[in-house]
Amino acid sequence: MYWEKQLETIPREELSLLQAERLQKTIINAQKTSFYRRLFARNNIDPEKIKSPEDLKVIPPTTKADLREGFPFDFLAVPLEEVIRLHSSSGTTGTPTVIYYTASDLDRWTNQVARSLYAVGMRKNDVFQNMMSYGLFTGGLGMHYGAERLGALTIPIGAGNSKRQIWFLKFFKSTAIHIIPSYALLLAQLIKAEGLDPHQDFNIRIMLLGAEPHSEETRLRIEEIYGAKAYNSYGLSEVNGPGVAFECVFQEGMHLWEDYYILEILNPQTLSPTPLGEVGEIVLTTIYRDATPLIRYRTGDLAFLLEEPCPCGRTHQRISRIQGRTDDMFIFRGVNIFPMQIEKVLMSNPEVGNNYRIILEREDYRDKMMVEVEIKPELFSGDLQKLARLKERIQSELHSEILVTPEVVLVEPGSIPTSEGKIQRVIDRRPL
Ligand code: ADP
Ligand code: ZN
């Protein structure tokens, strides 16, 4: 049931002690970086006084912009010859950032991933096909080493090349795959186009969905298409990569491994803690790595804490699925909207296909929102009234969710551009 029972089910009081001890080491270590030396001096912070997570409040959070400005070495806490690898964020939102790893950092991260995979039931007899890009992106190598440590047969196939993916799935009877959710939907279509059924003709039992926000409705859809369990896997390169937080078999919220991080959920405007159960920004302090310590790192990812202890017995707090990013929220006629709200509505309609996009434009000083939605091919067989009714229904459902009514355009499957990597859902053509 557990990869390392003692640590995964550690009583909360013991966990607090462990966190305090690791935090103190982290603060000492952070003083070796020029960024934190400067930050502490500028804010009159006495590192000796940072003894437990509560004391962190006095330290200003670190942002992605800080990491970028600190390029290349301002965050490095060890001599460069101790570093054996670097990773870099995929740069979805700007110039990349670099994170360094010592041998022991990599060993701990590998353990963290193995622990996560074990929690969703992966074992040494699994055949694991890792469909994430290898290279600077952490989703490839990060998950790879965790799966190997578990003893699974690990196929480093990487992202894309769907024909080859399908061939490997079939030939090696892969039982577990790591895949971006939007690509899982696209791949299913390609599998069907080859006359195969993603459920009947394959052996996939575990899917790890990560790297981009997706709704519960999308998960259910993916599970149904593949006849497999799909688990939410959260991570970001700045604080290691995959394995930061992971669902267990109960599939309700992701355990954030608190022996590796101190977790805060803060209001992105005021930076004060959000009330329990309310959405806020995930802010993480790394307490179990040496080369690149990060203190109160603002992830930009929005989630809320789940209150109840998990029936699986793990004591590490659970966070909700990611509700969006502080920077993918868009403002439309004064209303804050997250693409995820729109996705939730679309994916709960069985007529809706697997792809959509949101286009924002401005005409005569007025903002317009168009939601292009692929619908199932059989609906295009001619009954125009039926289509009109469907469009109206989706529009009104969207209105109840986001309080404005976008123009919904129903399109044929395959007409919206797809991507083998992270997908861009919002096209904002409004002039600034
Ligand atoms: P970036 O995309 O910021 O360049 P990464 O490649 O490290 O950097 O991606 C990390 C980001 O991907 C996270 O901050 C988060 O926004 C998103 N992400 C990762 N896993 C998930 C997940 N399971 N659900 C939602 N979003 C995720
Ligand atoms: Zn659990």
Side-chain angles (χ1 to χ4, degrees):
M1 171 104 181
Y2 308 106
W3 176 250
E4 34 192 357
K5 183 164 192 289
Q6 270 193 337
L7 279 166
E8 290 173 55
T9 62
I10 184 172
R12 297 285 311 169
E13 315 79 73
E14 270 177 54
L15 179 60
S16 299
L17 294 177
L18 180 67
Q19 284 192 321
E21 182 196 316
R22 289 187 176 171
L23 174 63
Q24 288 168 27
K25 282 194 192 140
T26 299
I27 297 288
I28 294 171
N29 191 38
Q31 283 175 275
K32 297 185 197 138
T33 71
S34 51
F35 178 84
Y36 285 111
R37 248 197 335 270
R38 275 199 312 264
L39 187 84
F40 293 167
R42 225 186 298 129
N43 294 278
N44 293 323
I45 288 159
D46 179 0
E48 300 272 304
K49 292 212 172 115
I50 312 293
K51 298 243 175 279
S52 71
E54 298 78 60
D55 304 327
L56 277 173
K57 289 192 287 289
V58 299
I59 306 181
T62 301
T63 63
K64 198 165 186 132
D66 293 328
L67 269 181
R68 274 195 207 115
E69 278 164 32
F71 180 87
F73 298 128
D74 283 7
F75 284 86
L76 184 62
V78 301
L80 200 55
E81 67 251 32
E82 297 301 317
V83 173
I84 64 165
R85 197 197 299 165
L86 64 77
H87 274 288
S88 167
S89 126
S90 57
T92 314
T93 54
T95 33
T97 49
V98 178
I99 298 296
Y100 301 96
Y101 304 75
T102 64
S104 106
D105 289 341
L106 285 182
D107 183 60
R108 290 163 177 178
W109 176 25
T110 297
N111 184 66
Q112 179 186 1
V113 174
R115 176 200 281 183
S116 305
L117 298 179
Y118 201 88
V120 297
M122 253 179 78
R123 296 293 182 268
K124 84 189 281 307
N125 50 359
D126 274 298
V127 177
F128 175 60
Q129 189 162 329
N130 191 6
M131 304 188 181
M132 292 283 181
S133 148
Y134 278 67
L136 290 174
F137 177 62
T138 49
L141 289 171
M143 207 62 109
H144 180 96
Y145 284 108
E148 278 190 358
R149 181 154 302 178
L150 211 69
L153 165 53
T154 305
I155 307 177
I157 191 159
N161 200 339
S162 304
K163 275 206 182 313
R164 191 173 59 186
Q165 299 284 5
I166 296 170
W167 190 86
F168 268 80
L169 283 173
K170 243 190 121 38
F171 191 84
F172 291 101
K173 301 188 168 44
S174 308
T175 54
I177 66 175
H178 181 204
I179 188 164
I180 295 181
S182 53
Y183 182 59
L185 292 170
L186 170 66
L187 184 66
Q189 284 175 358
L190 300 172
I191 290 173
K192 286 181 190 158
E194 295 208 359
L196 297 166
D197 180 275
H199 181 189
Q200 302 303 333
D201 295 321
F202 297 90
N203 298 65
I204 305 165
R205 63 182 195 94
I206 293 176
M207 301 176 75
L208 312 172
L209 304 182
E212 68 186 12
H214 55 290
S215 57
E216 182 63 26
E217 287 73 15
T218 296
R219 181 237 292 272
L220 293 173
R221 191 175 270 227
I222 290 173
E223 288 194 326
E224 196 191 309
I225 296 174
Y226 285 89
K229 284 277 173 206
Y231 297 98
N232 197 354
S233 143
Y234 170 70
L236 61 160
S237 52
E238 293 89 322
V239 297
N240 277 1
V244 174
F246 229 85
E247 277 182 342
C248 61
V249 289
F250 288 93
Q251 292 185 303
E252 231 197 301
M254 300 181 279
H255 290 282
L256 190 130
W257 300 122
E258 290 178 276
D259 50 340
Y260 282 75
Y261 310 98
I262 291 170
L263 165 68
E264 296 173 89
I265 306 257
L266 303 182
N267 176 312
Q269 268 87 42
T270 62
L271 293 181
S272 50
T274 49
L276 201 67
E278 254 178 48
V279 174
E281 181 172 354
I282 302 173
V283 174
L284 297 171
T285 299
T286 62
I287 51 172
Y288 204 33
R289 80 175 180 182
D290 298 329
T292 319
L294 286 182
I295 301 172
R296 307 191 83 203
Y297 182 71
R298 291 186 64 171
T299 62
D301 293 319
L302 297 164
F304 56 88
L305 271 184
L306 273 69
E307 243 174 291
E308 297 292 309
C310 186
C312 77
R314 291 179 181 82
T315 48
H316 300 244
Q317 293 193 85
R318 283 175 299 160
I319 54 170
S320 69
R321 64 176 55 253
I322 305 300
Q323 312 287 307
R325 261 164 93 122
T326 48
D327 51 12
D328 77 5
M329 181 190 84
F330 60 90
I331 301 179
F332 182 78
R333 297 186 193 161
V335 184
N336 293 353
I337 299 173
F338 289 100
M340 201 45 45
Q341 294 175 278
I342 293 175
E343 176 173 316
K344 225 167 64 183
V345 169
L346 298 181
M347 291 301 157
S348 62
N349 277 289
E351 298 89 347
V352 168
N354 292 336
N355 206 355
Y356 72 95
R357 66 175 176 172
I358 303 158
I359 297 172
L360 302 171
E361 284 174 336
R362 187 165 300 154
E363 232 172 57
D364 298 332
Y365 304 106
R366 200 168 160 72
D367 283 359
K368 278 178 39 184
M369 187 192 320
M370 197 164 82
V371 180
E372 285 183 349
V373 186
E374 287 187 5
I375 54 169
K376 304 267 163 77
E378 54 274 20
L379 286 157
F380 270 98
S381 53
D383 190 340
L384 291 178
Q385 270 192 342
K386 213 164 149 189
L387 281 181
R389 277 200 302 276
L390 175 63
K391 171 184 157 136
E392 256 171 49
R393 196 178 77 219
I394 295 177
Q395 282 187 172
S396 94
E397 284 177 15
L398 283 172
H399 179 90
S400 348
E401 176 68 33
I402 57 176
L403 309 176
V404 291
T405 312
E407 166 77 15
V408 168
V409 182
L410 304 178
V411 299
E412 282 184 76
S415 49
I416 298 176
T418 52
S419 150
E420 284 167 347
K422 296 192 193 206
I423 202 156
Q424 195 189 357
R425 296 288 192 196
V426 183
I427 318 281
D428 195 343
R429 298 190 183 129
R430 296 173 297 180
L432 287 176

